[in-house]
Amino acid sequence: MAKRKEDDFFSPENAKRPRLEELEDLDDDECAVSFTNGTSALTAAEVGIIESIQLKNFMCHSMLGPFKFGSNVNFVVGNNGSGKSAVLTALIVGLGGKAIATNRGSSLKGFVKDGQNSADISITLRNRGDDAYRANVYGDSIVVQQHISMDGSRSYKLKSESGSVVSTKKEELVAILDHFNIQVDNPVSVLTQEMSKQFLQSKNEGDKYKFFMKATQLEQMKEDYSYIMETKERTKEQISQGEERLTELKRQCLEKEERFQSIAGLSTMKTNLEYLKHEMAWAVVNEIEKQLNAIRDNIKIGEDRAARLERKTEEQQVRLNEAEKKYKDIQDKLEHISQETNAQAPECMALKLDLANKKKAYNEAEVVYNRSLNEYRALRKDDEQLCKRIEELKSTDQSLEPERLERQKKIAWLKEKVKTLQDQDSTSLQDIEQFQQAIEKDKEEHSRIMREELDVKHTLSYNQRQLKELKDSKTDRLKRFGPHVPALLAAIDDAYRRKQFAYKPVGPLGACIHLRDPELALAIESCLKGLLQAYWCHSHADERVLQGLMKKFYSPGTSRPQIIVSEFRKEMYDVRQRAAYHPEFPTVLTALEIDNAVVANSLIDMRGIETVLLIKNNSVARAVMQSQRPPRNCREAFTADGDQVFAGRYYSSENTRPKFLSRDVDSEISELENEIENKKAQILNLQQHLSTLEKDIGRNEDFLRKCQLHSKELKMKIRKNCSEIRELENIEEHQSVDIATLEDEAHENKIKMKMVEKNMEQQRENMEHLRSLKIEAEKKYDAIKLKINQLSEQADPLKDELNLADSEVDNQKRGKRHYEEKQKEHLDTLNKKKRELDKKEKELEEKMSQARQICPERIEVKKSASILDKEINRLRQKIQAEHASHGDREEIMRQYQEAKETYLDLDNKVRTLKRFIKLLEEIMTHRYKTYQQFRRCLTLRCKLYFDNLLSQRAYCGKMNFDHKNETLTISVQPGEGSKAAFNDMRALSGGERSFSTVCFILSLWSIAESPFRCLDEFDVYMDMVNRRIAMDMILKMADSQRFRQFILLTPQSMSSLPSSKLIRILRMSDPERGQTTLPFRPLTQEDEEDQS
């Protein structure tokens, strides 16, 4: 490696100064750790970093510095006692930190060198760029000078780049630190040696959590929140006291006003007072009697209503029993069909297996028969050839040599011809295979196009029906809910005029609601579905009348609108406690304008529209309902596309446009007409494609037949030539043939033919028998298969009826539960009123006895008791005021004006404080949620960075944050994940624990904001491997964060660092002999704390 150049920085006074090392290029690539120039696109820091530090008479050093720090990585190296920690301590104290934060003493006077009267610290901060602090005053640098006296006091001088003093106030220093986000008391910004050791040796999980909270400033946020809440409670107490005082002031103001207005004579007032007392006695009796009559009337009405509710509950129970019976009957039918199907299944399987076995037996018998047939044909052909040969041998004795040569020549010519024919047959077979594949492919495409054409025709038919309904709805909006709706509503109006309805039914419900936002039409239709066409009746008697009217307009077998039965209420339900709430998205209830309370109550009862959110964007809906906890009271949400979103499920809508709630009918008609034209054009294209495919299939089938015929002809020619070749080859010369032998062979061949023929007859009979068995098995299997299919066809409509019956049972149960709850609530209220009646009757007897004692004869009273009571009290006060008042009119008026002004002033203050408290509660609720979310984000980021940093050493780790108990558990696994267990950091070695701590600190660095980071003896207890890895990690982070400054203190030589302009090493000289520790004095009660 190349040598480093070192320069000594010592003053003439023999003061200790560091040596600044400039690193040269390294030859060892392994030391590069990717910390090279140009690896990061980030620029150097412009504000808040330390440019230089200079100390005088600080701790045990007469003079240190000035230290010139680089903008990125700075290493302060040297032996123990050389002054490294003094630099870090001076940085904390010089930027306003308390002495106790340095872990080097509890009072500032302990930092003054023995024998000296004061100490001085000078720190230069960079102040450049757009974020500079008062750049026009300070320039590119801010110099912070602090003077510490022997008595522990300190003073500041804040200078500009030119050296002029700008301020001497600590408030200015605090403003600068806040602007640069410098936190000298934050262990992530400045981690001293003592604090690092305490953290390494700490066994308390709560201390780790406090360290994390302090490092991320969450602790300060939490304290601020607690302070604000305490302030709010104190303000509430003030409001309560103010309200009590306000009541008293109001009473005094009324007294002053009455005193001011009182001018009547005492005698008249006393007479009136006595008469008012008589009226008061009987007014109380009158009011109690009125209350009794009202209670009796209410009880009578309540008893009548209780009887009606009892009848409704019984009627509902009857309907529920009917619905359950219907459901059970359908279920029994389905069960019966299922049992029949299951009973047929084993027989079907047995018949299928028997059919397969008989088919196999028949095929095997056919193969044996064909084999015997071929054998018989071969024997017969051999017999013919033998006979012919024998005749030829007997008829000729001439020389056969020329004939033999001619035969050989012909055999050679025939073999050549056979080879040519076989080549032609091979080519023909390839053509056949290609045509078969083309035909199969065209048939598959034809089937697919047919299905697509059928789907398009269904869509076209549906769009045409919808277009007709939309065109009809232009003249009458009600026709959107069905062609018979206007006539049905006219019939309802006519029946209501003829008193057939107790209350006029409301419906269709979709015609009674209006959208606030037209973009949510499809979402609301997907939510309400069939309820948009439903009708609402007050009683079952009204329902029966409405059913009779519907029969006139809806033919049997067609679906009718749903009819909901529930008592009409004039006021809408109060759903504020159970309604869903989101600051950005409305519920279905808030997205609709509903003038009729009956309609709103019906949609709340049947669909719970107050708990359904409407979120236009699909991805946002997923995020709100699934990526986090759904909003309070929210069960589900719908998107603008009509998709339904639950906490754990997502259902897409089948509809693409609203049918009932759209306002722009003309645009929908235009879109539908365009879509119909597109569908017609699509059908035409598909039909043309089908015609082309059919032509291709026919043409390919013709070619296939021709190829198959040609191949058959070639095979016949091949067989004929091969047979001729065999015949020629079987001819033997006359001289070598023994006619007797041939005759014996022919005789044996005939015997074999007879045996084979006999076997063939037996095999043919067996084959015919098996064929008849196979045909019988096929008939049985087809019969039972047909029966099973018929049972399945019977079950399909029953399943639909079962679903409808199940829905009806649920509706009836809900209706019964509704009436039972109403009945229970009403009976409780009725019993409470009866008890109140008994109590009032006793009270009436007592009040009448008291009234007769005051005034024996009953008098007629028109005023209420409360009014009379106020008049009596006011008259008494007037009388007392006349007796006690000896002042003049001006004095009474002045007192009245003062009392009124005092009351109005205090009332205004109380109202202002109430508004402030309400606003503060809303703000703090939002801020506390934000604080929890911010804390969760920082926790996750810290865990991610910690695990990533440990993985560089092949370690694994876990960080478990318990925010409730305020604990942080860190577990580290030094070995492979599958071979080692997670251990607490206390079980690790010193080097492993230090390395894990460095990883934890680097994780905090990654989530905390500060212009510089200082770390004292970060590699304590580390071995060389862990030190090297930790150093690489720090350098890598520094390279990726060139906008921050890193100051690292270590006793190591740092000789293995890579060469880079971004790294600067300050090497401290060895300490003077006898000066290896700092001369701190023990604390006494007279020691003073830091001065602000």
Side-chain angles (χ1 to χ4, degrees):
M1 299 178 70
K3 295 184 179 178
R4 291 181 174 82
K5 295 183 289 184
E6 299 181 355
D7 296 325
D8 292 332
F9 291 87
F10 288 99
S11 65
E13 293 81 13
N14 199 24
K16 293 188 295 182
R17 291 194 178 184
R19 292 178 295 176
L20 180 64
E21 295 187 348
E22 296 293 332
L23 298 178
E24 298 178 352
D25 294 336
L26 299 178
D27 297 329
D28 188 359
D29 293 339
E30 294 180 356
C31 297
V33 296
S34 76
F35 195 88
T36 57
N37 294 331
T39 58
S40 175
L42 299 173
T43 58
E46 292 183 341
V47 294
I49 66 172
I50 310 299
E51 291 188 341
S52 65
I53 298 179
Q54 185 173 4
L55 313 178
K56 180 180 178 182
N57 297 330
F58 188 79
M59 295 174 71
C60 59
H61 306 281
S62 300
M63 180 68 70
L64 282 178
F67 301 97
K68 301 293 184 180
F69 291 100
S71 62
N72 194 227
V73 181
N74 300 271
F75 287 91
V76 181
V77 300
N79 295 326
N80 291 333
S82 59
K84 302 188 303 299
S85 298
V87 175
L88 192 62
T89 303
L91 178 62
I92 297 174
V93 176
L95 293 179
K98 296 181 179 180
I100 195 171
T102 65
N103 292 315
R104 296 276 177 167
S106 299
S107 178
L108 291 177
K109 60 187 178 182
F111 296 114
V112 180
K113 184 179 180 183
D114 284 348
Q116 302 297 327
N117 295 326
S118 63
D120 293 294
I121 304 172
S122 178
I123 301 174
T124 303
L125 302 176
R126 182 171 293 178
N127 188 45
R128 303 176 187 172
D130 296 334
D131 293 331
Y133 179 80
R134 298 177 66 187
N136 58 337
V137 178
Y138 286 96
D140 291 342
S141 299
I142 299 176
V143 181
V144 180
Q145 291 184 352
Q146 184 175 158
H147 181 78
I148 303 175
S149 303
M150 273 297 296
D151 58 357
S153 62
R154 59 180 171 186
S155 60
Y156 296 92
K157 286 185 179 180
L158 303 176
K159 296 183 178 181
S160 65
E161 182 183 19
S162 61
S164 59
V165 178
V166 178
S167 176
T168 59
K169 296 181 180 180
K170 187 177 181 181
E171 289 76 11
E172 180 70 2
L173 175 61
V174 172
I176 292 171
L177 297 180
D178 289 342
H179 183 79
F180 292 158
N181 198 22
I182 296 174
Q183 309 148 25
V184 293
D185 58 344
N186 191 332
V188 169
S189 296
V190 181
L191 185 62
T192 63
Q193 181 178 351
E194 289 298 318
M195 187 174 293
S196 176
K197 289 179 180 179
Q198 291 175 7
F199 180 74
L200 284 172
Q201 298 170 1
S202 174
K203 299 181 181 179
N204 190 343
E205 296 172 351
D207 293 340
K208 294 186 181 72
Y209 184 85
K210 290 179 181 178
F211 185 88
F212 168 79
M213 295 290 285
K214 188 173 183 181
T216 54
Q217 292 185 284
L218 289 172
E219 184 179 17
Q220 182 63 38
M221 293 175 66
K222 185 178 179 182
E223 291 174 357
D224 292 343
Y225 180 83
S226 300
Y227 175 75
I228 293 172
M229 298 307 292
E230 292 174 0
T231 305
K232 186 190 76 172
E233 294 302 322
R234 289 196 297 270
T235 307
K236 283 185 176 180
E237 293 178 0
Q238 293 178 2
I239 292 174
S240 178
Q241 295 173 1
E243 288 177 339
E244 294 176 0
R245 175 64 178 159
L246 196 63
T247 304
E248 180 64 21
L249 286 176
K250 185 176 182 180
R251 185 186 62 79
Q252 293 178 2
C253 185
L254 291 175
E255 289 177 356
K256 300 292 184 183
E257 183 179 6
E258 289 174 355
R259 184 181 177 190
F260 172 73
Q261 294 176 352
S262 176
I263 44 179
L266 286 177
S267 59
T268 304
M269 287 189 288
K270 289 180 179 179
T271 303
N272 292 337
L273 179 61
E274 288 299 321
Y275 184 76
L276 287 174
K277 287 180 179 180
H278 295 171
E279 285 187 329
M280 180 65 180
W282 289 105
V284 171
V285 173
N286 290 342
E287 287 189 357
I288 294 177
E289 287 177 345
K290 290 179 181 179
Q291 292 173 2
L292 276 173
N293 293 332
I295 292 173
R296 290 190 183 100
D297 294 338
N298 288 336
I299 289 174
K300 186 176 183 304
I301 294 172
E303 288 175 346
D304 295 338
R305 188 168 178 228
R308 289 198 305 271
L309 287 174
E310 180 66 24
R311 288 195 300 272
K312 289 181 179 179
T313 303
E314 292 174 355
E315 292 172 357
Q316 194 68 33
Q317 180 64 46
V318 172
R319 284 193 292 271
L320 175 60
N321 293 338
E322 292 174 354
E324 288 178 342
K325 183 177 181 303
K326 182 178 179 182
Y327 178 85
K328 189 174 185 308
D329 293 339
I330 297 172
Q331 195 174 32
D332 291 340
K333 290 180 181 178
L334 274 175
E335 184 67 22
H336 178 69
I337 292 173
S338 177
Q339 290 175 357
E340 288 185 1
T341 304
N342 294 335
Q344 298 290 342
E347 184 180 359
C348 181
M349 291 300 295
L351 290 174
K352 185 177 180 181
L353 182 61
D354 181 61
L355 176 61
N357 292 333
K358 289 180 177 178
K359 281 184 177 180
K360 183 178 179 183
Y362 171 78
N363 293 333
E364 290 174 353
E366 188 178 19
V367 169
V368 172
Y369 174 80
N370 290 333
R371 191 182 299 121
S372 299
L373 180 61
N374 292 333
E375 183 181 1
Y376 177 80
R377 288 174 179 172
L379 289 171
R380 187 173 64 183
K381 192 171 185 180
D382 291 343
D383 181 72
E384 292 173 357
Q385 290 176 354
L386 286 171
C387 292
K388 184 178 180 181
R389 180 61 177 159
I390 291 170
E391 292 296 324
E392 288 175 355
L393 288 175
K394 289 181 178 180
S395 64
T396 182
D397 291 329
Q398 298 177 357
S399 177
L400 300 176
E401 181 63 20
E403 185 179 352
R404 184 178 63 82
L405 294 174
E406 184 65 26
R407 280 200 310 272
Q408 291 178 351
K409 184 177 179 180
K410 189 175 182 179
I411 287 171
W413 177 79
L414 287 173
K415 286 184 177 179
E416 185 68 26
K417 186 177 179 181
V418 166
K419 184 176 182 302
T420 303
L421 291 173
Q422 287 176 342
D423 293 338
Q424 293 178 2
D425 184 55
S426 177
T427 303
S428 180
L429 289 175
Q430 291 178 358
D431 293 338
I432 289 172
E433 184 177 359
Q434 290 178 357
F435 284 126
Q436 287 177 340
Q437 291 177 354
I439 291 170
E440 186 66 26
K441 183 178 179 182
D442 288 342
K443 286 183 177 180
E444 291 178 356
E445 181 69 8
H446 187 273
S447 299
R448 186 185 67 79
I449 297 298
M450 287 288 289
R451 291 193 298 271
E452 186 176 353
E453 182 189 17
L454 185 62
D455 293 339
V456 174
K457 285 182 177 178
H458 288 165
T459 305
L460 175 62
S461 177
Y462 173 78
N463 288 342
Q464 288 174 339
R465 290 197 305 272
Q466 195 170 1
L467 178 62
K468 183 178 182 303
E469 292 174 359
L470 284 174
K471 288 182 177 179
D472 292 340
S473 67
K474 288 185 65 176
T475 56
D476 190 349
R477 180 175 177 268
L478 292 174
K479 287 188 177 180
R480 302 191 72 174
F481 299 91
H484 307 297
V485 170
L488 176 61
L489 291 179
I492 291 174
D493 291 336
D494 182 64
Y496 180 69
R497 284 193 298 270
R498 288 188 279 107
K499 306 298 182 181
Q500 293 183 6
F501 290 108
Y503 289 87
K504 181 182 176 182
V506 178
L509 298 183
C512 304
I513 61 177
H514 303 282
L515 301 178
R516 299 181 188 272
D517 187 353
E519 294 181 4
L520 297 175
L522 182 57
I524 294 176
E525 280 196 16
S526 299
C527 175
L528 300 181
K529 296 181 180 177
L531 289 176
L532 293 172
Q533 297 175 276
Y535 291 79
W536 190 278
C537 289
H538 175 74
S539 64
H540 290 288
D542 291 347
E543 178 199 13
R544 287 190 291 272
V545 176
L546 182 58
Q547 288 281 13
L549 293 177
M550 284 186 176
K551 289 180 181 178
K552 300 177 181 178
F553 300 99
Y554 295 93
S555 58
T558 59
S559 60
R560 298 181 186 177
Q562 182 181 1
I563 300 177
I564 305 166
V565 180
S566 183
E567 183 180 357
F568 286 2
R569 292 192 179 184
K570 296 181 180 179
E571 296 181 355
M572 186 177 137
Y573 297 147
D574 185 3
V575 295
R576 288 175 292 182
Q577 298 298 323
R578 65 174 188 267
Y581 171 75
H582 194 282
E584 298 179 22
F585 310 114
T587 62
V588 176
L589 180 60
T590 57
L592 294 175
E593 291 181 359
I594 307 175
D595 299 328
N596 194 334
V598 173
V599 177
N601 292 338
S602 66
L603 296 179
I604 291 171
D605 285 338
M606 300 301 296
R607 191 60 184 85
I609 59 174
E610 77 281 6
T611 63
V612 182
L613 286 180
L614 298 176
I615 305 172
K616 294 182 180 179
N617 188 276
N618 295 355
S619 58
V620 175
R622 286 181 182 270
V624 172
M625 296 299 296
Q626 298 177 352
S627 299
Q628 57 190 356
R629 186 176 181 183
R632 183 172 64 90
N633 296 332
C634 179
R635 297 187 297 104
E636 56 186 305
F638 284 87
T639 68
D641 296 333
D643 296 346
Q644 189 176 15
V645 187
F646 292 94
R649 293 167 291 163
Y650 189 98
Y651 298 105
S652 299
S653 175
E654 297 178 356
N655 300 323
T656 57
R657 64 170 60 87
K659 182 179 179 182
F660 304 106
L661 301 180
S662 176
R663 295 182 180 177
D664 193 356
V665 179
D666 291 331
S667 64
E668 281 198 29
I669 290 174
S670 177
E671 289 179 6
L672 269 177
E673 287 175 346
N674 293 335
E675 189 170 345
I676 288 171
E677 292 301 321
N678 292 337
K679 294 298 180 185
K680 288 180 177 178
Q682 188 177 357
I683 291 173
L684 183 60
N685 291 335
L686 291 174
Q687 289 175 347
Q688 292 175 353
H689 193 185
L690 285 174
S691 177
T692 304
L693 286 173
E694 289 170 355
K695 291 179 181 178
D696 290 341
I697 291 171
R699 186 167 54 253
N700 288 333
E701 286 178 344
D702 291 338
F703 286 137
L704 177 62
R705 283 192 295 270
K706 291 179 181 179
C707 288
Q708 288 174 342
L709 182 61
H710 181 57
S711 176
K712 186 175 181 181
E713 292 173 354
L714 289 174
K715 284 183 172 59
M716 290 176 62
K717 290 180 180 180
I718 291 170
R719 285 197 299 271
K720 181 178 180 182
N721 290 328
C722 289
S723 176
E724 190 173 353
I725 290 170
R726 285 195 300 272
E727 289 176 359
L728 291 174
E729 288 176 346
N730 290 331
I731 297 175
E732 296 180 355
E733 294 179 351
H734 182 267
Q735 292 81 358
S736 61
V737 175
D738 187 356
I739 295 176
T741 304
L742 290 175
E743 289 177 346
D744 293 337
E745 185 177 351
H747 179 69
E748 291 177 357
N749 193 53
K750 288 183 182 295
I751 294 173
K752 288 182 180 179
M753 285 176 62
K754 289 181 179 180
M755 293 175 61
V756 171
E757 188 176 4
K758 184 178 181 180
N759 290 335
M760 281 175 54
E761 185 64 21
Q762 294 177 353
Q763 290 166 1
R764 187 181 63 77
E765 293 176 356
N766 184 40
M767 185 176 65
E768 290 297 326
H769 174 67
L770 291 175
R771 182 172 177 272
S772 62
L773 292 177
K774 184 192 74 167
I775 293 173
E776 183 179 357
E778 286 177 345
K779 291 180 179 178
K780 290 181 179 179
Y781 177 74
D782 291 339
I784 195 167
K785 191 71 176 178
L786 178 62
K787 188 174 182 181
I788 291 175
N789 291 336
Q790 290 175 349
L791 289 173
S792 298
E793 291 174 356
Q794 292 176 8
D796 290 336
L798 286 176
K799 289 179 181 178
D800 295 337
E801 293 180 9
L802 185 66
N803 292 333
L804 293 175
D806 183 51
S807 176
E808 180 65 20
V809 169
D810 289 340
N811 290 335
Q812 298 302 335
K813 285 183 178 179
R814 188 162 52 249
K816 179 188 174 185
R817 187 165 54 252
H818 171 72
Y819 283 121
E820 287 176 346
E821 291 173 355
K822 275 191 171 183
Q823 186 180 21
K824 182 177 180 301
E825 180 182 355
H826 183 69
L827 289 176
D828 293 339
T829 304
L830 188 62
N831 292 331
K832 184 178 179 181
K833 288 181 179 179
K834 289 180 178 179
R835 291 193 296 271
E836 185 180 357
L837 177 64
D838 295 337
K839 184 177 178 182
K840 283 292 181 182
E841 287 177 347
K842 293 179 181 179
E843 184 180 357
L844 177 62
E845 292 176 359
E846 294 175 358
K847 293 299 181 182
M848 288 188 70
S849 176
Q850 294 174 2
R852 289 191 181 96
Q853 292 177 1
I854 296 172
C855 181
E857 293 182 1
R858 183 164 183 167
I859 59 178
E860 185 176 352
V861 182
K862 296 182 179 180
K863 296 181 180 179
S864 65
S866 59
I867 294 175
L868 291 172
D869 182 66
K870 290 179 182 178
E871 290 181 358
I872 290 171
N873 291 332
R874 193 179 298 115
L875 194 57
R876 283 175 177 170
Q877 292 170 1
K878 285 183 180 180
I879 294 172
Q880 293 174 1
E882 288 295 330
H883 279 296
S885 176
H886 297 286
D888 57 359
R889 186 181 182 86
E890 288 74 19
E891 180 65 18
I892 294 174
M893 183 181 293
R894 186 186 63 79
Q895 291 178 359
Y896 168 68
Q897 291 296 335
E898 288 178 354
K900 184 177 181 181
E901 289 173 359
T902 304
Y903 169 77
L904 293 176
D905 180 63
L906 183 58
D907 181 66
N908 184 44
K909 288 180 179 179
V910 168
R911 281 189 298 219
T912 302
L913 284 175
K914 284 183 177 180
R915 288 195 298 269
F916 168 74
I917 286 296
K918 182 179 179 181
L919 180 62
L920 181 63
E921 287 177 345
E922 295 175 354
I923 293 173
M924 290 311 298
T925 300
H926 175 70
R927 288 181 63 87
Y928 187 68
K929 291 180 179 178
T930 306
Y931 162 77
Q932 289 179 320
Q933 185 178 3
F934 180 61
R935 181 180 65 187
R936 182 166 59 254
C937 292
L938 289 180
T939 301
L940 292 175
R941 287 178 60 193
C942 187
K943 288 180 179 180
L944 178 62
Y945 285 120
F946 182 73
D947 190 56
N948 184 38
L949 292 170
L950 283 179
S951 65
Q952 300 182 24
R953 185 68 177 91
Y955 286 14
C956 292
K958 289 184 179 178
M959 300 179 71
N960 186 17
F961 289 85
D962 188 351
H963 297 297
K964 183 177 181 180
N965 298 320
E966 297 186 349
T967 59
L968 168 56
T969 305
I970 301 178
S971 303
V972 177
Q973 173 183 304
E976 294 294 331
S978 61
K979 297 179 180 179
F982 284 94
N983 298 321
D984 188 80
M985 289 181 62
R986 293 172 290 185
L988 303 175
S989 64
E992 291 171 343
R993 187 162 60 251
S994 298
F995 170 74
S996 302
T997 304
V998 169
C999 292
F1000 178 52
I1001 292 173
L1002 291 181
S1003 302
L1004 294 178
W1005 281 4
S1006 299
I1007 63 175
E1009 297 292 335
S1010 179
F1012 60 84
R1013 284 92 157 77
C1014 299
L1015 198 58
D1016 190 4
E1017 292 195 9
F1018 64 95
D1019 53 355
V1020 64
Y1021 303 128
M1022 286 190 188
D1023 54 19
M1024 291 303 296
V1025 175
N1026 284 321
R1027 183 178 294 113
R1028 174 62 181 271
I1029 293 175
M1031 180 64 66
D1032 290 350
M1033 291 162 54
I1034 293 174
L1035 292 179
K1036 185 176 180 181
M1037 174 171 284
D1039 184 46
S1040 65
Q1041 299 182 7
R1042 293 188 180 180
F1043 54 91
R1044 290 199 176 94
Q1045 186 183 46
F1046 298 80
I1047 301 174
L1048 309 174
L1049 284 69
T1050 176
Q1052 306 298 325
S1053 64
M1054 297 291 107
S1055 60
S1056 62
L1057 285 176
S1059 174
S1060 174
K1061 293 180 181 180
L1062 299 177
I1063 300 177
R1064 181 170 294 181
I1065 299 179
L1066 298 172
R1067 189 175 298 281
M1068 310 294 292
S1069 299
D1070 293 336
E1072 298 177 3
R1073 187 180 300 276
Q1075 189 174 328
T1076 58
T1077 59
L1078 298 178
F1080 291 127
R1081 299 186 301 273
L1083 290 176
T1084 63
Q1085 295 181 352
E1086 298 177 356
D1087 290 337
E1088 298 177 356
E1089 295 295 326
D1090 295 335
Q1091 302 297 323
S1092 298

